[in-house]
Amino acid sequence: METGEPVADAVALAVGERIRHWRTERGLLMRQLAETADIGQPFLSKIERGEASPSMLSLYRIATALDVTPGDLLPVVTPRPGATVVRAHEGRRIASTEESAIPVRFMAGMAHHSFELSEMEFDHTQNNDEWFDYPTPAATYLIAGRLDVDIEGDGRYRLGPRDTIFYPARARCRWEAAPGGPVRILHVTAHARHS
């Protein structure tokens, strides 16, 4: 969340380094990335220095502008042979937007995995009008509640418990929890293939 206070923890520093890496790899100036991602250049500068942590929305905007997935912007996880277990208390916890207090538990896949996961719970009082861009195919599985999903240029879909919606690459969508209880979702994003 953008707070103006220095964060400078190890994860924030690593995220800043990853964003700078991909920005440099793509040959973009900070100003160009900020414009394309529709975030302020001063905020992007703070993120790259590890002094601010991006929200899920900012992470998606930056990832889309860089043609990578949000997981590519998080610290690199060293692959281990065999299965990887992410326990209930693990995963990167971030806010969904800079103005929102909706916590998102983000579990990035490692380089050898082909997807990444995020989990969140919110209710109709926490809805916002922000559009998320998905640079790669994605899916949302509704664990509990009722959720309306708007996909730009495609329409609105109402999901109930155990429904799943699949998004094509480059889809823009937004979610709205219906009144009557919390919505709990699991969101899966395909990992970008880098050339």
Side-chain angles (χ1 to χ4, degrees):
M1 243 165 131
E2 184 175 6
T3 62
E5 296 297 317
V7 176
D9 66 16
V11 174
L13 288 169
V15 169
E17 288 173 10
R18 298 293 300 154
I19 291 171
R20 188 171 35 258
H21 162 80
W22 284 110
R23 180 175 60 77
T24 304
E25 179 82 14
R26 300 293 191 248
L28 295 173
L29 299 172
M30 191 179 295
R31 170 183 48 79
Q32 293 170 308
L33 177 57
E35 285 176 14
T36 305
D38 194 27
I39 62 174
Q41 185 175 340
F43 182 44
L44 179 58
S45 178
K46 284 183 176 182
I47 292 171
E48 283 198 5
R49 291 192 314 266
E51 296 174 0
S53 291
S55 68
M56 191 71 162
L57 177 62
S58 293
L59 212 61
Y60 267 87
R61 286 179 173 172
I62 294 167
T64 299
L66 293 170
D67 197 28
V68 298
T69 59
D72 291 320
L73 304 178
L74 295 176
V76 176
V77 177
T78 306
R80 296 183 332 218
T84 301
V85 176
V86 179
R87 301 290 179 194
H89 65 280
E90 297 175 325
R92 174 90 166 115
R93 296 185 194 284
I94 57 179
S96 63
T97 69
E98 270 67 41
E99 291 79 34
S100 169
I102 299 171
V104 177
R105 182 173 160 237
F106 190 77
M107 297 152 286
M110 292 183 284
H112 64 282
H113 292 140
S114 57
F115 56 89
E116 50 200 43
L117 304 170
S118 54
E119 174 188 33
M120 66 185 79
E121 185 172 323
F122 60 100
D123 64 32
H124 73 281
T125 65
Q126 298 168 304
N127 289 329
N128 62 59
D129 291 328
E130 298 290 350
W131 289 89
F132 280 75
D133 297 307
Y134 299 115
T136 59
T140 301
Y141 175 78
L142 185 62
I143 299 167
R146 288 180 303 149
L147 181 71
D148 289 326
V149 179
D150 291 318
I151 301 178
E152 191 174 61
D154 189 35
R156 176 174 264 221
Y157 299 88
R158 168 67 58 99
L159 302 182
R162 298 174 46 197
D163 287 346
T164 304
I165 187 166
F166 292 88
Y167 314 92
R170 301 285 178 214
R172 291 190 78 218
C173 79
R174 63 183 170 194
W175 299 324
E176 185 177 311
V183 165
R184 187 164 175 226
I185 66 169
L186 182 64
H187 186 72
V188 182
T189 304
H191 208 275
R193 301 200 193 293
H194 305 296
S195 49

